[in-house]
Amino acid sequence: MLFTGTHIHKLDRKGRVSVPKRFRATLERETFAGIYLYQSHKEAALEGCGESHMDRIAASIDELAMFSDEADDLADTILGASHMLPFDGEGRIILPPELIEFARIEDQVAFVGRGRTFRIWNPEIFKPLQDASRTRTFNRGSTLKLKPASDFAPGSRPAAPTGEIAPDEEGDA
């Protein structure tokens, strides 16, 4: 399953936030029932993923020259600074204060799907960046060349839409 959509949730005084139901459904298939978060290298946002994606990141870093500055820097800033955040009984995580500060999160959190990963943003910071991205893609005439369906193993791609519209869940926007 993929992480898609933008979901706005409230952050409580203890730093707890509900993870969108659809994100949890994907993440609960992993060995670790929770999320991995680390600071984005490009934005005032948090990068989020499940354990299998974090394994891919570690394997990719392992492909770099051992003891190279690039390998050390990426290992330090991704693996060494990532947080494993388990779900509580209500599907929430507790965001560590240093991550809240980095992403300039206040009282709301935007979970933004990016396919196999997601980002967590302050919604007020994300919205103008999303608008700017939309303008750039429109101005460039950006398109995608879709991979043929035959490139996907059976069951590895999402099911075709049924035409049903799911009700908004847990305050998702």
Side-chain angles (χ1 to χ4, degrees), residues 26 35-37 41 52 56 92 94 108 115 117 125 130 132 134 145 149 153-154 163 165 168:
T26 297
I35 66 175
Y36 284 80
L37 284 181
H41 286 92
S52 60
R56 290 178 59 205
R92 300 175 299 189
I94 299 174
Q108 290 190 319
T117 65
I125 295 172
Q130 183 183 41
R134 184 173 289 113
K145 181 178 178 185
I165 299 175
D168 201 26

Side-chain angles (χ1 to χ4, degrees), residues 13-92:
R13 290 177 297 142
K14 296 179 182 178
R16 295 177 302 195
V17 63
S18 293
V19 176
K21 186 176 181 180
R22 291 177 184 161
F23 285 27
R24 283 196 318 268
T26 297
L27 293 161
E28 287 173 342
R29 295 176 178 194
E30 304 270 350
T31 305
F32 170 65
I35 66 175
Y36 284 80
L37 284 181
Y38 57 93
Q39 297 174 356
S40 172
H41 286 92
K42 295 181 69 177
E43 308 285 355
L46 306 174
E47 302 287 347
C49 63
E51 190 165 42
S52 60
H53 192 79
M54 189 58 78
D55 285 341
R56 290 178 59 205
I57 291 171
S60 296
I61 292 171
D62 287 345
E63 293 290 318
L64 299 172
M66 191 176 205
F67 305 118
S68 70
D69 289 343
E70 185 177 23
D72 288 346
D73 290 346
L74 289 170
D76 290 345
T77 60
I78 298 175
L79 301 176
S82 69
H83 294 259
M84 288 177 66
L85 306 176
F87 299 132
D88 70 9
E90 297 177 32
R92 300 175 299 189

Side-chain angles (χ1 to χ4, degrees), residues 1-4 22-23 26 115-116 158:
M1 291 179 62
L2 300 176
F3 299 107
T4 60
R22 291 177 184 161
F23 285 27
T26 297
R116 307 222 186 279

Side-chain angles (χ1 to χ4, degrees), residues 92-122:
R92 300 175 299 189
I93 56 168
I94 299 174
L95 289 176
E98 64 270 19
L99 295 183
I100 292 171
E101 181 180 340
F102 176 82
R104 302 189 320 226
I105 293 171
E106 295 171 5
D107 60 341
Q108 290 190 319
V109 175
F111 288 82
V112 179
R114 296 177 60 85
R116 307 222 186 279
T117 65
F118 58 92
R119 282 188 176 160
I120 293 179
W121 292 85
N122 172 328

